[in-house]
Structure formats: structure tokens, C-alpha cells
Amino acid sequence: MDNELKMELKPIGLVNSPIREKPANGFNWREIVAEIVIRPELAEGLDGLADFSHIMVYWWMHQATDPAKMALKVYPRGRKELPPVGVFASRSPYRPNSIGRATVRLLERRDNILLVQGLDAIDGTPVLDIKPFIPGYDSPAEGASAPEWATRHQRQV
């Protein structure tokens, strides 16, 4: 691309999690309860969110920004016995843009704090956006499929 678009993202809040550093591959995030602390001046933007059981959280993987670790081909889940795939066919944290996303259970809202379950982001992670999960609208299309390695240990929140 000749004309690179310059973007500026500002965090809307931070993750407060008991997980302080990236755990080993295969770690089960399903039971982890964390807080998302939204900037106080944005708290009004959370009105109505507690009516949803699940939310989608988008964040910046702030500890996965080393360009030397970004590769276009990676081993799925770091498993060298599997054939490499393109980075966009993986969940590798080392990407051209280190954006993370998860659909998590919303347990509670207290003013500017969201209590969530299943967020696979470490303590101090900057949150970029939050959207409600709407069944049917945000669910996969009929006939969606994935390779066996990707579905063997599916997340369930």
C-alpha cells in the first residue's frame, strides 16, 4: 500500500486480572474472573450493558509487540508437530497489529468496573473497545468449520 493510513487508538480502560504474565500454552482461561476498569469519564457509555449476559472485549496485546517475534508462518498453538499456518489462520499474539478479542461472560457492572469471566488478557492490558454479544447476530454462520487442531480444546464461557 502506498498510502498508509495513520491511526491513533486510545484505551478506554485497563484489565485488572490475577494473571500477571502470559501463561503456558493450554492454560484454561474459562474460570478466570477479572475486572475491566473503564475510564471514569466513559462510565455512562456502559449504561444498558448489564442487560447482556456476554460481551466482546477488544484489547491491545501490549506485551506482544516485538517485531522480531512476528512471523507470517507460525505453528498452531506453538505445537511443532503440526504444520505451520499463516499468522492470520492462527491466534498467535505476535501479529502486524496486536489486537486481542474475546467473548466473555459479564458477571456484574459496578459504575465504571465490569466483572467478567473468561477474559484471556493479563493484568494491565489496555482495553480498546467493548461491544455487547448478540446471539444470532454475532454467532457464526450456518456451516462454519475449522481444522481439527483449532477445535480440539474449544473455549466455552
Side-chain angles (χ1 to χ4, degrees), residues 86-150:
V87 69
F88 300 119
S90 80
R91 294 293 181 101
S92 171
Y94 297 99
R95 317 177 70 75
N97 291 304
S98 296
I99 298 171
R101 178 204 165 281
T103 300
V104 300
R105 181 174 299 282
L106 177 59
L107 302 174
E108 181 182 353
R109 175 196 172 190
R110 293 185 317 268
D111 192 29
N112 67 318
I113 298 173
L114 301 174
L115 192 66
V116 299
Q117 181 179 359
L119 181 61
D120 58 336
I122 63 173
D123 189 58
T125 297
V127 176
L128 301 175
D129 201 4
I130 294 170
K131 297 181 183 196
F133 178 85
I134 302 172
Y137 184 81
D138 292 313
S139 301
E142 287 283 326
S145 64
E148 188 272 334
W149 65 260

Short mmCIF file of all heavy atoms in Angstrom, two decimals, residues 86-150:
data_model
loop_
_atom_site.label_atom_id
_atom_site.label_comp_id
_atom_site.label_asym_id
_atom_site.label_seq_id
_atom_site.Cartn_x
_atom_site.Cartn_y
_atom_site.Cartn_z
N GLY A 86 -0.42 -19.72 8.18
CA GLY A 86 -0.23 -18.27 8.14
C GLY A 86 -0.70 -17.64 9.44
O GLY A 86 -1.62 -18.14 10.09
N VAL A 87 -0.07 -16.55 9.84
CA VAL A 87 -0.40 -15.89 11.10
C VAL A 87 -1.88 -15.53 11.18
O VAL A 87 -2.49 -15.57 12.25
CB VAL A 87 0.49 -14.66 11.36
CG1 VAL A 87 0.19 -13.52 10.39
CG2 VAL A 87 0.38 -14.18 12.80
N PHE A 88 -2.50 -15.23 10.04
CA PHE A 88 -3.92 -14.85 10.05
C PHE A 88 -4.84 -16.07 10.19
O PHE A 88 -6.04 -15.92 10.40
CB PHE A 88 -4.28 -14.05 8.80
CG PHE A 88 -3.48 -12.77 8.70
CD1 PHE A 88 -2.64 -12.55 7.62
CD2 PHE A 88 -3.55 -11.80 9.68
CE1 PHE A 88 -1.91 -11.38 7.52
CE2 PHE A 88 -2.82 -10.62 9.59
CZ PHE A 88 -1.99 -10.42 8.50
N ALA A 89 -4.28 -17.28 10.10
CA ALA A 89 -5.03 -18.52 10.34
C ALA A 89 -4.71 -19.06 11.73
O ALA A 89 -4.93 -20.23 12.01
CB ALA A 89 -4.68 -19.56 9.26
N SER A 90 -4.17 -18.21 12.58
CA SER A 90 -3.76 -18.62 13.93
C SER A 90 -4.25 -17.60 14.95
O SER A 90 -4.74 -16.54 14.59
CB SER A 90 -2.24 -18.74 14.01
OG SER A 90 -1.66 -17.46 14.19
N ARG A 91 -4.04 -17.93 16.20
CA ARG A 91 -4.33 -17.00 17.28
C ARG A 91 -3.03 -16.49 17.90
O ARG A 91 -3.01 -16.06 19.05
CB ARG A 91 -5.19 -17.68 18.36
CG ARG A 91 -6.59 -18.04 17.88
CD ARG A 91 -7.40 -16.78 17.60
NE ARG A 91 -8.74 -17.05 17.17
CZ ARG A 91 -9.81 -16.98 17.94
NH1 ARG A 91 -9.70 -16.67 19.21
NH2 ARG A 91 -10.99 -17.22 17.44
N SER A 92 -1.95 -16.53 17.14
CA SER A 92 -0.67 -16.04 17.63
C SER A 92 -0.80 -14.60 18.12
O SER A 92 -1.41 -13.76 17.45
CB SER A 92 0.38 -16.09 16.51
OG SER A 92 1.56 -15.42 16.92
N PRO A 93 -0.22 -14.28 19.29
CA PRO A 93 -0.28 -12.90 19.76
C PRO A 93 0.64 -11.97 18.97
O PRO A 93 0.44 -10.76 18.97
CB PRO A 93 0.18 -13.00 21.21
CG PRO A 93 1.00 -14.23 21.27
CD PRO A 93 0.43 -15.17 20.25
N TYR A 94 1.63 -12.53 18.27
CA TYR A 94 2.57 -11.71 17.51
C TYR A 94 2.05 -11.55 16.10
O TYR A 94 2.15 -12.44 15.27
CB TYR A 94 3.97 -12.34 17.55
CG TYR A 94 4.50 -12.39 18.95
CD1 TYR A 94 4.44 -13.56 19.72
CD2 TYR A 94 5.03 -11.25 19.55
CE1 TYR A 94 4.90 -13.57 21.03
CE2 TYR A 94 5.49 -11.27 20.85
CZ TYR A 94 5.42 -12.44 21.58
OH TYR A 94 5.86 -12.44 22.88
N ARG A 95 1.44 -10.38 15.86
CA ARG A 95 0.74 -10.10 14.61
C ARG A 95 1.12 -8.70 14.13
O ARG A 95 1.69 -7.92 14.90
CB ARG A 95 -0.76 -10.14 14.86
CG ARG A 95 -1.22 -11.29 15.74
CD ARG A 95 -2.71 -11.24 16.01
NE ARG A 95 -3.48 -11.56 14.81
CZ ARG A 95 -3.63 -12.78 14.33
NH1 ARG A 95 -3.06 -13.80 14.93
NH2 ARG A 95 -4.33 -12.98 13.24
N PRO A 96 0.79 -8.36 12.89
CA PRO A 96 1.07 -7.00 12.43
C PRO A 96 0.43 -5.94 13.34
O PRO A 96 1.02 -4.89 13.57
CB PRO A 96 0.48 -6.96 11.02
CG PRO A 96 0.58 -8.38 10.57
CD PRO A 96 0.30 -9.21 11.79
N ASN A 97 -0.76 -6.20 13.84
CA ASN A 97 -1.42 -5.35 14.84
C ASN A 97 -1.84 -6.27 15.98
O ASN A 97 -2.66 -7.15 15.79
CB ASN A 97 -2.65 -4.64 14.26
CG ASN A 97 -2.26 -3.59 13.24
OD1 ASN A 97 -1.49 -2.69 13.53
ND2 ASN A 97 -2.79 -3.73 12.04
N SER A 98 -1.31 -6.04 17.14
CA SER A 98 -1.52 -6.95 18.27
C SER A 98 -2.84 -6.69 18.98
O SER A 98 -2.88 -6.26 20.13
CB SER A 98 -0.34 -6.82 19.25
OG SER A 98 0.83 -7.24 18.62
N ILE A 99 -3.93 -6.96 18.27
CA ILE A 99 -5.27 -6.76 18.82
C ILE A 99 -5.80 -8.10 19.28
O ILE A 99 -5.77 -9.09 18.55
CB ILE A 99 -6.21 -6.14 17.77
CG1 ILE A 99 -5.68 -4.76 17.36
CG2 ILE A 99 -7.64 -6.04 18.31
CD1 ILE A 99 -6.40 -4.17 16.17
N GLY A 100 -6.32 -8.14 20.50
CA GLY A 100 -6.95 -9.34 21.03
C GLY A 100 -8.44 -9.13 21.14
O GLY A 100 -8.92 -8.00 21.24
N ARG A 101 -9.18 -10.25 21.12
CA ARG A 101 -10.63 -10.19 21.23
C ARG A 101 -11.12 -11.45 21.91
O ARG A 101 -10.61 -12.53 21.65
CB ARG A 101 -11.27 -10.09 19.86
CG ARG A 101 -12.78 -10.08 19.87
CD ARG A 101 -13.33 -10.57 18.54
NE ARG A 101 -14.71 -10.90 18.57
CZ ARG A 101 -15.24 -12.01 19.04
NH1 ARG A 101 -14.50 -12.93 19.56
NH2 ARG A 101 -16.54 -12.23 19.00
N ALA A 102 -12.10 -11.31 22.77
CA ALA A 102 -12.72 -12.46 23.42
C ALA A 102 -14.17 -12.15 23.72
O ALA A 102 -14.52 -11.00 24.00
CB ALA A 102 -11.99 -12.82 24.71
N THR A 103 -15.00 -13.18 23.66
CA THR A 103 -16.37 -13.08 24.13
C THR A 103 -16.38 -13.67 25.53
O THR A 103 -15.96 -14.80 25.72
CB THR A 103 -17.33 -13.85 23.20
OG1 THR A 103 -17.24 -13.28 21.89
CG2 THR A 103 -18.77 -13.75 23.69
N VAL A 104 -16.80 -12.87 26.50
CA VAL A 104 -16.72 -13.27 27.91
C VAL A 104 -18.08 -13.11 28.59
O VAL A 104 -18.94 -12.36 28.12
CB VAL A 104 -15.66 -12.43 28.66
CG1 VAL A 104 -14.28 -12.61 28.04
CG2 VAL A 104 -16.03 -10.96 28.70
N ARG A 105 -18.23 -13.80 29.70
CA ARG A 105 -19.44 -13.68 30.50
C ARG A 105 -19.35 -12.39 31.33
O ARG A 105 -18.34 -12.16 31.99
CB ARG A 105 -19.61 -14.88 31.42
CG ARG A 105 -20.88 -14.80 32.27
CD ARG A 105 -21.12 -16.06 33.09
NE ARG A 105 -21.27 -17.24 32.26
CZ ARG A 105 -22.38 -17.58 31.60
NH1 ARG A 105 -23.44 -16.79 31.67
NH2 ARG A 105 -22.44 -18.67 30.89
N LEU A 106 -20.37 -11.57 31.27
CA LEU A 106 -20.45 -10.36 32.09
C LEU A 106 -21.14 -10.73 33.39
O LEU A 106 -22.33 -11.07 33.40
CB LEU A 106 -21.20 -9.25 31.36
CG LEU A 106 -21.41 -7.95 32.13
CD1 LEU A 106 -20.08 -7.33 32.56
CD2 LEU A 106 -22.21 -6.96 31.29
N LEU A 107 -20.41 -10.70 34.48
CA LEU A 107 -20.95 -11.09 35.78
C LEU A 107 -21.62 -9.93 36.50
O LEU A 107 -22.64 -10.13 37.17
CB LEU A 107 -19.82 -11.65 36.66
CG LEU A 107 -19.08 -12.87 36.11
CD1 LEU A 107 -17.90 -13.23 37.00
CD2 LEU A 107 -20.03 -14.04 35.94
N GLU A 108 -21.04 -8.73 36.34
CA GLU A 108 -21.56 -7.60 37.11
C GLU A 108 -20.98 -6.30 36.57
O GLU A 108 -19.87 -6.26 36.06
CB GLU A 108 -21.12 -7.78 38.58
CG GLU A 108 -21.57 -6.72 39.53
CD GLU A 108 -21.06 -6.96 40.95
OE1 GLU A 108 -20.47 -8.03 41.23
OE2 GLU A 108 -21.25 -6.07 41.78
N ARG A 109 -21.77 -5.22 36.70
CA ARG A 109 -21.27 -3.87 36.45
C ARG A 109 -21.41 -3.08 37.74
O ARG A 109 -22.48 -3.05 38.35
CB ARG A 109 -22.06 -3.18 35.35
CG ARG A 109 -21.59 -1.72 35.21
CD ARG A 109 -22.52 -0.85 34.44
NE ARG A 109 -22.06 0.53 34.55
CZ ARG A 109 -22.76 1.56 34.14
NH1 ARG A 109 -23.93 1.39 33.57
NH2 ARG A 109 -22.28 2.78 34.30
N ARG A 110 -20.30 -2.45 38.15
CA ARG A 110 -20.31 -1.54 39.29
C ARG A 110 -19.73 -0.21 38.80
O ARG A 110 -18.51 -0.08 38.68
CB ARG A 110 -19.45 -2.09 40.43
CG ARG A 110 -20.00 -3.35 41.08
CD ARG A 110 -19.18 -3.80 42.29
NE ARG A 110 -17.74 -3.74 42.12
CZ ARG A 110 -16.99 -4.77 41.68
NH1 ARG A 110 -17.53 -5.90 41.34
NH2 ARG A 110 -15.67 -4.62 41.58
N ASP A 111 -20.61 0.74 38.48
CA ASP A 111 -20.21 2.06 37.98
C ASP A 111 -19.32 1.90 36.75
O ASP A 111 -19.80 1.52 35.70
CB ASP A 111 -19.55 2.89 39.09
CG ASP A 111 -19.41 4.35 38.70
OD1 ASP A 111 -20.24 4.84 37.90
OD2 ASP A 111 -18.45 5.00 39.16
N ASN A 112 -18.00 2.13 36.88
CA ASN A 112 -17.10 2.04 35.72
C ASN A 112 -16.29 0.74 35.71
O ASN A 112 -15.31 0.63 34.98
CB ASN A 112 -16.15 3.24 35.69
CG ASN A 112 -15.16 3.24 36.84
OD1 ASN A 112 -15.52 2.94 37.98
ND2 ASN A 112 -13.91 3.56 36.55
N ILE A 113 -16.72 -0.25 36.49
CA ILE A 113 -15.99 -1.53 36.57
C ILE A 113 -16.89 -2.65 36.11
O ILE A 113 -18.04 -2.78 36.57
CB ILE A 113 -15.50 -1.79 38.00
CG1 ILE A 113 -14.53 -0.68 38.42
CG2 ILE A 113 -14.83 -3.16 38.11
CD1 ILE A 113 -14.12 -0.74 39.88
N LEU A 114 -16.37 -3.48 35.19
CA LEU A 114 -17.07 -4.66 34.72
C LEU A 114 -16.37 -5.88 35.27
O LEU A 114 -15.15 -6.02 35.12
CB LEU A 114 -17.07 -4.72 33.19
CG LEU A 114 -17.70 -3.54 32.46
CD1 LEU A 114 -17.50 -3.67 30.96
CD2 LEU A 114 -19.17 -3.41 32.82
N LEU A 115 -17.10 -6.77 35.89
CA LEU A 115 -16.57 -8.03 36.37
C LEU A 115 -16.92 -9.08 35.31
O LEU A 115 -18.09 -9.25 34.98
CB LEU A 115 -17.19 -8.39 37.72
CG LEU A 115 -16.54 -9.53 38.48
CD1 LEU A 115 -15.12 -9.15 38.92
CD2 LEU A 115 -17.37 -9.89 39.71
N VAL A 116 -15.88 -9.73 34.76
CA VAL A 116 -16.07 -10.66 33.65
C VAL A 116 -15.40 -12.00 33.95
O VAL A 116 -14.48 -12.08 34.77
CB VAL A 116 -15.53 -10.09 32.33
CG1 VAL A 116 -16.25 -8.80 31.95
CG2 VAL A 116 -14.02 -9.86 32.39
N GLN A 117 -15.85 -13.02 33.25
CA GLN A 117 -15.27 -14.35 33.39
C GLN A 117 -14.83 -14.86 32.03
O GLN A 117 -15.60 -14.79 31.06
CB GLN A 117 -16.29 -15.32 33.99
CG GLN A 117 -15.75 -16.71 34.19
CD GLN A 117 -16.80 -17.62 34.79
OE1 GLN A 117 -17.92 -17.22 35.08
NE2 GLN A 117 -16.44 -18.87 34.99
N GLY A 118 -13.58 -15.36 31.96
CA GLY A 118 -13.06 -15.95 30.73
C GLY A 118 -12.24 -15.04 29.86
O GLY A 118 -11.92 -15.38 28.73
N LEU A 119 -11.84 -13.88 30.36
CA LEU A 119 -11.04 -12.94 29.57
C LEU A 119 -9.58 -13.39 29.56
O LEU A 119 -8.94 -13.45 30.61
CB LEU A 119 -11.15 -11.53 30.14
CG LEU A 119 -10.39 -10.43 29.40
CD1 LEU A 119 -10.88 -10.30 27.97
CD2 LEU A 119 -10.51 -9.11 30.14
N ASP A 120 -9.05 -13.70 28.39
CA ASP A 120 -7.67 -14.16 28.28
C ASP A 120 -6.69 -13.01 28.02
O ASP A 120 -5.90 -13.03 27.09
CB ASP A 120 -7.53 -15.27 27.24
CG ASP A 120 -7.99 -14.87 25.85
OD1 ASP A 120 -8.81 -13.96 25.73
OD2 ASP A 120 -7.53 -15.50 24.88
N ALA A 121 -6.76 -12.01 28.89
CA ALA A 121 -5.84 -10.87 28.85
C ALA A 121 -5.21 -10.74 30.23
O ALA A 121 -5.88 -10.93 31.25
CB ALA A 121 -6.60 -9.59 28.49
N ILE A 122 -3.94 -10.40 30.26
CA ILE A 122 -3.21 -10.31 31.52
C ILE A 122 -3.44 -8.96 32.21
O ILE A 122 -3.93 -8.02 31.60
CB ILE A 122 -1.71 -10.58 31.32
CG1 ILE A 122 -1.08 -9.52 30.42
CG2 ILE A 122 -1.48 -11.98 30.77
CD1 ILE A 122 0.44 -9.63 30.32
N ASP A 123 -3.06 -8.91 33.47
CA ASP A 123 -3.20 -7.70 34.27
C ASP A 123 -2.51 -6.51 33.60
O ASP A 123 -1.39 -6.64 33.11
CB ASP A 123 -2.57 -7.95 35.66
CG ASP A 123 -2.87 -6.82 36.61
OD1 ASP A 123 -4.06 -6.55 36.85
OD2 ASP A 123 -1.91 -6.22 37.12
N GLY A 124 -3.19 -5.38 33.57
CA GLY A 124 -2.62 -4.16 33.00
C GLY A 124 -2.84 -4.00 31.51
O GLY A 124 -2.39 -3.02 30.91
N THR A 125 -3.54 -4.94 30.87
CA THR A 125 -3.78 -4.87 29.43
C THR A 125 -4.72 -3.71 29.11
O THR A 125 -5.78 -3.58 29.72
CB THR A 125 -4.40 -6.19 28.93
OG1 THR A 125 -3.46 -7.24 29.14
CG2 THR A 125 -4.76 -6.13 27.46
N PRO A 126 -4.35 -2.86 28.13
CA PRO A 126 -5.22 -1.77 27.72
C PRO A 126 -6.42 -2.29 26.91
O PRO A 126 -6.25 -3.06 25.97
CB PRO A 126 -4.34 -0.90 26.83
CG PRO A 126 -2.96 -1.44 26.93
CD PRO A 126 -3.05 -2.83 27.47
N VAL A 127 -7.61 -1.88 27.30
CA VAL A 127 -8.84 -2.26 26.61
C VAL A 127 -9.16 -1.19 25.56
O VAL A 127 -9.17 0.00 25.87
CB VAL A 127 -10.00 -2.44 27.60
CG1 VAL A 127 -11.31 -2.73 26.88
CG2 VAL A 127 -9.67 -3.54 28.60
N LEU A 128 -9.44 -1.64 24.32
CA LEU A 128 -9.72 -0.72 23.22
C LEU A 128 -11.20 -0.47 23.01
O LEU A 128 -11.61 0.63 22.66
CB LEU A 128 -9.13 -1.26 21.92
CG LEU A 128 -7.62 -1.49 21.92
CD1 LEU A 128 -7.19 -2.14 20.61
CD2 LEU A 128 -6.88 -0.18 22.14
N ASP A 129 -12.02 -1.51 23.22
CA ASP A 129 -13.45 -1.36 22.96
C ASP A 129 -14.20 -2.51 23.61
O ASP A 129 -13.62 -3.56 23.92
CB ASP A 129 -13.73 -1.35 21.45
CG ASP A 129 -15.07 -0.72 21.08
OD1 ASP A 129 -15.77 -0.21 21.98
OD2 ASP A 129 -15.42 -0.76 19.90
N ILE A 130 -15.49 -2.32 23.81
CA ILE A 130 -16.40 -3.33 24.34
C ILE A 130 -17.67 -3.24 23.52
O ILE A 130 -18.16 -2.14 23.23
CB ILE A 130 -16.71 -3.07 25.83
CG1 ILE A 130 -15.45 -3.25 26.67
CG2 ILE A 130 -17.82 -3.98 26.32
CD1 ILE A 130 -15.59 -2.79 28.09
N LYS A 131 -18.19 -4.42 23.15
CA LYS A 131 -19.47 -4.47 22.43
C LYS A 131 -20.31 -5.57 23.04
O LYS A 131 -19.78 -6.58 23.51
CB LYS A 131 -19.23 -4.77 20.95
CG LYS A 131 -18.43 -3.68 20.26
CD LYS A 131 -18.22 -3.96 18.81
CE LYS A 131 -17.36 -2.84 18.24
NZ LYS A 131 -17.39 -2.79 16.81
N PRO A 132 -21.63 -5.42 23.02
CA PRO A 132 -22.48 -6.49 23.53
C PRO A 132 -22.47 -7.67 22.57
O PRO A 132 -22.39 -7.48 21.35
CB PRO A 132 -23.87 -5.85 23.59
CG PRO A 132 -23.83 -4.82 22.51
CD PRO A 132 -22.42 -4.29 22.50
N PHE A 133 -22.54 -8.87 23.11
CA PHE A 133 -22.70 -10.07 22.28
C PHE A 133 -24.18 -10.27 22.06
O PHE A 133 -24.96 -10.38 23.02
CB PHE A 133 -22.09 -11.29 22.97
CG PHE A 133 -22.27 -12.56 22.16
CD1 PHE A 133 -21.38 -12.88 21.16
CD2 PHE A 133 -23.34 -13.40 22.40
CE1 PHE A 133 -21.54 -14.03 20.40
CE2 PHE A 133 -23.52 -14.56 21.66
CZ PHE A 133 -22.61 -14.87 20.65
N ILE A 134 -24.59 -10.33 20.79
CA ILE A 134 -25.99 -10.51 20.44
C ILE A 134 -26.14 -11.86 19.75
O ILE A 134 -25.65 -12.04 18.63
CB ILE A 134 -26.48 -9.36 19.52
CG1 ILE A 134 -26.27 -8.02 20.23
CG2 ILE A 134 -27.94 -9.58 19.13
CD1 ILE A 134 -26.53 -6.81 19.36
N PRO A 135 -26.78 -12.83 20.42
CA PRO A 135 -26.95 -14.15 19.81
C PRO A 135 -27.65 -14.04 18.46
O PRO A 135 -28.57 -13.24 18.28
CB PRO A 135 -27.82 -14.91 20.82
CG PRO A 135 -27.59 -14.20 22.12
CD PRO A 135 -27.38 -12.75 21.76
N GLY A 136 -27.21 -14.84 17.52
CA GLY A 136 -27.77 -14.80 16.17
C GLY A 136 -27.06 -13.80 15.30
O GLY A 136 -26.70 -14.10 14.17
N TYR A 137 -26.81 -12.62 15.82
CA TYR A 137 -26.09 -11.59 15.07
C TYR A 137 -24.59 -11.84 15.13
O TYR A 137 -23.89 -11.74 14.13
CB TYR A 137 -26.44 -10.21 15.63
CG TYR A 137 -25.83 -9.06 14.86
CD1 TYR A 137 -26.42 -8.62 13.68
CD2 TYR A 137 -24.69 -8.43 15.29
CE1 TYR A 137 -25.87 -7.57 12.96
CE2 TYR A 137 -24.13 -7.38 14.59
CZ TYR A 137 -24.73 -6.95 13.42
OH TYR A 137 -24.18 -5.92 12.71
N ASP A 138 -24.08 -12.16 16.31
CA ASP A 138 -22.64 -12.36 16.50
C ASP A 138 -22.24 -13.84 16.46
O ASP A 138 -21.08 -14.16 16.60
CB ASP A 138 -22.18 -11.75 17.83
CG ASP A 138 -22.28 -10.23 17.80
OD1 ASP A 138 -21.83 -9.63 16.81
OD2 ASP A 138 -22.82 -9.66 18.76
N SER A 139 -23.21 -14.73 16.29
CA SER A 139 -22.91 -16.15 16.21
C SER A 139 -22.39 -16.48 14.81
O SER A 139 -22.72 -15.80 13.84
CB SER A 139 -24.16 -16.96 16.51
OG SER A 139 -24.64 -16.64 17.80
N PRO A 140 -21.64 -17.57 14.69
CA PRO A 140 -21.10 -17.93 13.37
C PRO A 140 -22.21 -18.33 12.40
O PRO A 140 -23.28 -18.77 12.81
CB PRO A 140 -20.17 -19.10 13.65
CG PRO A 140 -20.58 -19.62 14.98
CD PRO A 140 -21.21 -18.48 15.73
N ALA A 141 -21.89 -18.18 11.13
CA ALA A 141 -22.84 -18.53 10.08
C ALA A 141 -23.07 -20.04 10.06
O ALA A 141 -22.25 -20.82 10.54
CB ALA A 141 -22.29 -18.06 8.73
N GLU A 142 -24.20 -20.43 9.48
CA GLU A 142 -24.50 -21.86 9.29
C GLU A 142 -23.35 -22.51 8.55
O GLU A 142 -22.79 -21.93 7.63
CB GLU A 142 -25.79 -22.02 8.47
CG GLU A 142 -27.05 -21.69 9.21
CD GLU A 142 -27.46 -22.79 10.17
OE1 GLU A 142 -27.24 -23.97 9.86
OE2 GLU A 142 -28.01 -22.45 11.23
N GLY A 143 -23.00 -23.71 8.98
CA GLY A 143 -21.98 -24.47 8.27
C GLY A 143 -20.56 -24.00 8.51
O GLY A 143 -19.66 -24.38 7.77
N ALA A 144 -20.33 -23.17 9.53
CA ALA A 144 -18.96 -22.73 9.81
C ALA A 144 -18.11 -23.94 10.17
O ALA A 144 -18.58 -24.90 10.79
CB ALA A 144 -18.96 -21.73 10.97
N SER A 145 -16.84 -23.93 9.75
CA SER A 145 -15.95 -25.05 10.04
C SER A 145 -14.56 -24.54 10.36
O SER A 145 -14.22 -23.39 10.09
CB SER A 145 -15.91 -26.02 8.86
OG SER A 145 -15.34 -25.39 7.73
N ALA A 146 -13.76 -25.40 10.95
CA ALA A 146 -12.37 -25.08 11.30
C ALA A 146 -11.58 -26.38 11.29
O ALA A 146 -12.16 -27.47 11.45
CB ALA A 146 -12.31 -24.43 12.68
N PRO A 147 -10.26 -26.30 11.15
CA PRO A 147 -9.46 -27.52 11.20
C PRO A 147 -9.53 -28.17 12.57
O PRO A 147 -9.79 -27.51 13.58
CB PRO A 147 -8.04 -27.06 10.87
CG PRO A 147 -8.04 -25.59 11.03
CD PRO A 147 -9.45 -25.11 10.92
N GLU A 148 -9.28 -29.47 12.63
CA GLU A 148 -9.39 -30.24 13.86
C GLU A 148 -8.51 -29.67 14.98
O GLU A 148 -8.94 -29.59 16.12
CB GLU A 148 -9.02 -31.71 13.57
CG GLU A 148 -9.28 -32.65 14.73
CD GLU A 148 -8.11 -32.77 15.69
OE1 GLU A 148 -6.96 -32.55 15.27
OE2 GLU A 148 -8.34 -33.05 16.87
N TRP A 149 -7.29 -29.22 14.67
CA TRP A 149 -6.40 -28.70 15.71
C TRP A 149 -7.01 -27.47 16.39
O TRP A 149 -6.75 -27.22 17.56
CB TRP A 149 -5.01 -28.37 15.17
CG TRP A 149 -4.95 -27.25 14.17
CD1 TRP A 149 -4.89 -27.36 12.81
CD2 TRP A 149 -4.95 -25.84 14.44
NE1 TRP A 149 -4.89 -26.12 12.22
CE2 TRP A 149 -4.92 -25.17 13.21
CE3 TRP A 149 -5.00 -25.09 15.61
CZ2 TRP A 149 -4.91 -23.78 13.09
CZ3 TRP A 149 -5.00 -23.70 15.50
CH2 TRP A 149 -4.95 -23.06 14.26
N ALA A 150 -7.81 -26.72 15.66
CA ALA A 150 -8.37 -25.49 16.21
C ALA A 150 -9.57 -25.75 17.12
O ALA A 150 -9.88 -24.92 17.97
CB ALA A 150 -8.77 -24.56 15.08
#
